Amino acid sequence: MLKYPSSKTTYDTTIPDSQTEADDSLSSAPKSKPIPTRKRRALALFLLFVWFYFIFTVSFYLFSFLGNHYHHALHVLNTAASKTYGGMTDTYQSITNPARREEVVELMTELYELLAEMGYYDAAMIGRPPHNPGINRTLAAELEFSLEAVEVMEMLPYLQQGQEEGPLGWGADNNFLLSGTFADLRDDGVLSFTRDPMFAIEDSSKGFDEDGGKYMRPNYVCLSLPGEGYGAIMILDVKTHQEVMGLQADPALKGIGLEEVPGNMFSPENAASRLARDALRDYIRRFRTLEWIPGGRFNGTWDGDEYVRLYKENGWPESFNSTAFNIAREQWEEDNMARWDAEAPFHEVTKLDYWIQVALDDIGRKRKMIADVDSGMEIPENKTDREAYKAELQEEVKKRIESLPKLHAELEVAREVLKSIDPEVKKTREERIRKYGA
Ligand SMILES: *[C@@H]1O[C@H](CO)[C@@H](O)[C@H](O)[C@H]1NC(C)=O
Ligand SMILES: *[C@@H]1O[C@H](CO)[C@@H](O)[C@H](O)[C@H]1NC(C)=O
Ligand SMILES: *[C@@H]1O[C@H](CO)[C@@H](O)[C@H](O)[C@H]1NC(C)=O
Ligand SMILES: *[C@@H]1O[C@H](CO)[C@@H](O)[C@H](O)[C@H]1NC(C)=O
């Protein structure tokens, strides 16, 4: 690799000679005594070697640094300049420790394994490369994925597709991360879907920079999908290893709005992003510390905190027993349903209160409309006759007023039932509402 050994050899053979000579000259010969030609040549050779070694080493580091980091450094500088987040720390990290695709693959694997460890699904469901059948390369080419994107897709682990058979874990709708769902890119349908995960393409003949056109560039790989449309999408740029969370869902990037740039408003490059490495490590930490619970729950909510309690009671994290946890979890879900039923008299009162309020609001609104008709204001276009329109409104008000006694009577009954509710049910409900709201 480096020329260190050879220059070392030069050092060993040359210096002792001249050193011996120098020592000799110190003791006996005059100081101006010229160095013999042979020794001078050796010294010159030695200095040449040292010089060459120096130049070689410096250039080696310089060129290897530039070679490895030029593209990435360029991108990072670009990003740091144009984005609010992704500044100093990321820039420093990327230059000293550039992101690699293997890291993303390792961290995605770790995340899938962690969810299995947490009892969300069986570890056997994690499909690891090489995949057979793998990514449909024909389709990927048709969809204009870059070669790098396809390579990364082939390296990633996947959870077996289970859309038809129901959720993969115990969360609803294959919940993976922040209500986003698992993306099994080995499935042709899923692969196609990742080209328009935000349902935003109006005209696929339009380019990446036109509104309504395509917005997922060839280097973008979806690590998760938005499910019903409200979940977070994780989008990986395989060139820069930056990860964009669709809908600005990444907690670390909260509050950073989409940039106002010309072109396609759905372009992920307009959104805040951070290195996939940082993002995935952060998500793993959040699951590990039970801030996020598999299945779409999170701490600080009633059911989230109950799940945290169940995890801890079953040994999380040091001696977790997922079998015992899942038994306790299913029991808790059953108890929670029973609790909901036991609290039915509260729900009845709340519901009737709400309906009465709706009726009163509607009466107030319609009476105002009647007054507006009387004062000569415009009536809707599809109403031709003012008097008929007014009579129609009055009829609606009358019906609402007539509905009120029945609602009030029902409310009386519901309140009566509520008086005899189990005090224990009442107490725990009040405690819960005090902490988490209704
Ligand atoms: C791969 O995709 C192409 C293009 O859509 C399709 O014609 C082909 O049947 C797919 N191959 C497999 C093995 O599903
Ligand atoms: C959630 O858990 C994390 C990590 O344990 C903790 O830092 C955070 O304060 C918790 N949040 C709430 C709202 O309980
Ligand atoms: C885990 O819990 C199950 C169910 O309670 C129990 O049968 C099993 O022995 C436990 N495993 C360990 C290693 O404690
Ligand atoms: C009349 O127009 C209003 C809106 O101005 C609309 O809500 C209503 O459905 C229309 N009614 C009919 C019969 O077309």
Side-chain angles (χ1 to χ4, degrees), residues 300-302 339 428-438:
T301 61
W302 152 249
R339 176 194 62 78
T428 49
R429 181 175 186 271
E430 278 167 0
E431 278 168 11
R432 195 186 70 243
I433 288 178
R434 210 168 22 248
K435 194 159 173 209
Y436 300 106

Side-chain angles (χ1 to χ4, degrees), residues 379-383:
I379 61 167
E381 270 177 23
N382 53 12
K383 307 288 176 194

